[in-house]
Amino acid sequence: MITDSTCFSMGRLCAAMNHAFSDYAVPMQLDLDGFTLMMRSRGLRADLSRLVVEDGKIAAFWLIGARGDRAYLISTGTAPKFRRGGLSRRLGEVVKADLQTQGFKTLQSEVLVNNPAARALYHALGFDEGRSLDCYAGLKAALAEASQGITNCDMTAISSEVRGFWDSVPSWQNDIGSLIAAGRDVTCFAIKDGAGLVAYAAIVPAQSSLAQIAVRPDMRRKGLGTQLLAYGQNALAIDNLRIINIDRADTGLAGFVAKVGGALIVSQKELHLAL
């Protein structure tokens, strides 16, 4: 039976995802708080998400987020017992049809580069592969005396200003909408001068994740990004951070990540489906 997820608790959805991902190349095991934060920040719409339910158990799922007329595949998986039965493709076709009927324009997601079966499935469903996105762990910067003048800031308050700082648009998980939806689960640090915002870093402590970091173009190459990162790690008592899905073509950000010790863990392709 295919149904939406409106009658399923976060606990049941979390358990289903953990079970489906338990033997993946990159296993994911989230506690309920981490799963709930992930779903909230990425815009989960229970009415748009679809599940295959067999004997009262979730056999497969497509969990969908949305903002405006854009939809996002947050997570998809199939329990080991039910694999190789075409369930994920069935769900994909249902989700596509439902989103089209409701007027959505695009559906996007990501797929691991080294998962040929998943890439083939998305291709069969009509997705196009876009940007190469890299994920890193082990980011760490040493605290320096020059870190004075860094203050906490509100992501909503600076959201209209920071877009001019970017050389590449953040992926769905790290974009402004996700950070605002995460609310108090995101801590933002900033440096300002007479002209306004100079640099900022947004960190999700519960995930030990650096979501965004950027410096105003006229103030780059002064070590401000390193100062922000070091200050944030010290303030939040996080020894090492990770950063996910940075655009490989953004050489400035990639260079910064390498400078602070980031080690590549996985690479993905961004997926887009025109509806």
Side-chain angles (χ1 to χ4, degrees):
M1 176 182 72
I2 294 180
T3 182
D4 63 39
S5 68
T6 54
C7 293
F8 289 78
S9 68
M10 283 290 182
R12 290 191 68 183
L13 296 177
C14 178
M17 191 179 80
N18 285 338
H19 182 49
F21 286 11
S22 61
D23 60 349
Y24 276 22
V26 181
M28 179 186 294
Q29 297 295 300
L30 294 178
D31 62 20
L32 182 56
D33 287 343
F35 178 82
T36 301
L37 172 57
M38 178 183 179
M39 294 300 118
R40 172 162 51 87
S41 65
R42 299 181 190 186
L44 176 68
R45 285 274 302 272
D47 60 317
L48 299 177
S49 301
R50 293 292 179 266
L51 316 173
V52 175
V53 180
E54 298 286 350
D55 298 324
K57 297 181 179 180
I58 299 174
F61 56 87
W62 272 48
L63 301 180
I64 303 296
R67 296 194 189 106
D69 61 5
R70 298 182 302 132
Y72 176 70
L73 175 57
I74 302 174
S75 181
T76 178
T78 303
K81 175 182 176 180
F82 296 99
R83 289 181 190 155
R84 291 175 290 279
L87 296 185
S88 190
R89 178 158 185 171
R90 282 173 56 197
L91 286 176
E93 296 288 3
V94 169
V95 166
K96 278 176 57 179
D98 289 346
L99 293 175
Q100 287 170 338
T101 298
Q102 296 192 44
F104 285 88
K105 301 301 182 186
T106 61
L107 174 62
Q108 68 182 79
S109 193
E110 304 86 26
V111 62
L112 288 170
V113 169
N114 63 352
N115 189 341
R119 293 175 77 175
L121 170 63
Y122 291 125
H123 179 75
L125 288 169
F127 284 86
D128 293 319
E129 292 189 355
R131 299 184 295 177
S132 294
L133 303 172
D134 293 327
C135 305
Y136 295 84
L139 281 67
K140 184 176 182 179
L143 188 65
E145 294 181 5
S147 61
Q148 297 177 2
I150 298 175
T151 60
N152 286 75
C153 69
D154 179 77
M155 197 69 215
T156 302
I158 66 171
S159 61
S160 61
E161 197 171 358
V162 300
R163 299 178 191 278
F165 289 33
W166 300 340
D167 290 335
S168 61
V169 177
S171 64
W172 185 285
Q173 304 95 327
N174 294 329
D175 68 10
I176 294 294
S178 291
L179 299 187
I180 290 175
R184 294 183 179 180
D185 287 300
V186 173
T187 303
C188 186
F189 301 97
I191 299 173
K192 298 181 180 181
D193 65 8
L197 187 67
V198 172
Y200 74 99
I203 297 173
V204 185
Q207 299 173 347
S208 296
S209 177
L210 176 63
Q212 290 186 24
I213 188 165
V215 179
R216 200 171 68 203
D218 66 307
M219 292 294 288
R220 292 177 181 172
R221 298 177 182 83
K222 299 179 184 294
L224 299 181
T226 303
Q227 290 177 33
L228 273 171
L229 185 65
Y231 183 90
Q233 288 185 280
N234 183 67
L236 299 170
I238 300 174
D239 190 47
N240 290 284
L241 286 167
R242 65 188 185 107
I243 187 169
I244 64 169
N245 292 344
I246 69 170
D247 187 341
R248 187 178 298 169
D250 189 341
T251 55
L253 181 55
F256 170 77
V257 168
K259 179 182 176 182
V260 296
L264 181 67
I265 46 175
V266 294
S267 296
Q268 302 199 93
K269 296 294 288 187
E270 198 166 50
L271 298 169
H272 298 272
L273 175 66
L275 299 169

